[in-house]
Amino acid sequence: MSHALSAAAAGFGTGLSLIVAIGAQNAFVLRQGVRREAVLTVVAICALSDAALIALGVGGVGAVVAAWPGALTAVGWIGGAFLLGYGALAARRVVKPQGALRTEGETAGSRRRAVLTCLAMTWLNPHVYLDTVFLLGSLAADQGPLRWTFGIGAATASLCWFAALGFGARLLGRRLARPAAWRVLDGLVAVTMTVLGVTLIAGS
């Protein structure tokens, strides 16, 4: 039992260290949380996607995919272009603000946009495959028969982080209710997306 707990704790710590960083996915979850738009859906997509990727890594798929490096290059170009586009939209909101923060809930259209954007940011990011599939997969392999326990710990860390980020962001609602504060957040999102997009394309 103690070995299993140690493996789960190691997986939790490793998973948390990989996702607690300023990135496109985290910035998007934060923005959705502050706006209170499709938060549960976005958190579920992020957590379930990470769990699926972690399972692929623990199952050894990372070694198989590594045989086709061209796939990651293609994903890098597509993902980079997507992030640049999203960054441009955020920058446009800074120049032409849409008003104060809305917290009354999402419409069907905004939910669809949130789902599609979240899926794109998750699955079109090559770093997700490098970190979650390859790195976590290799670290899990070192755990031997407890590799799946390690993976469960990492998946739990992902769920806890995205839930805290998405639902905890509501506490910032009052502070970001002013248009000026919202423009600052959009500015940070625009810079983050643009830098990550350029980095992905340059590294592809």
Side-chain angles (χ1 to χ4, degrees), residues 35-139:
R35 294 176 67 91
R36 300 185 183 182
E37 290 184 354
V39 180
L40 179 60
T41 303
V42 167
V43 168
I45 289 174
C46 292
L48 291 175
S49 295
D50 267 12
L53 291 167
I54 291 170
L56 289 175
V58 174
V61 176
V64 178
V65 178
W68 290 278
L72 284 179
T73 300
V75 171
W77 277 95
I78 297 173
F82 174 82
L83 292 179
L84 288 176
Y86 192 88
L89 291 176
R92 183 174 181 272
R93 289 193 296 268
V94 175
V95 178
K96 297 181 179 180
Q98 299 174 350
L101 173 66
R102 298 192 307 273
T103 59
E104 68 274 11
E106 75 279 355
T107 63
S110 65
R111 179 180 292 274
R112 284 193 295 271
R113 287 194 299 271
V115 169
L116 293 176
T117 302
C118 187
L119 287 172
M121 286 187 176
T122 301
W123 294 92
L124 291 181
N125 183 0
H127 290 297
V128 171
Y129 299 95
L130 294 174
D131 293 343
T132 308
V133 178
F134 300 142
L135 180 56
L136 271 177
S138 63
L139 292 175

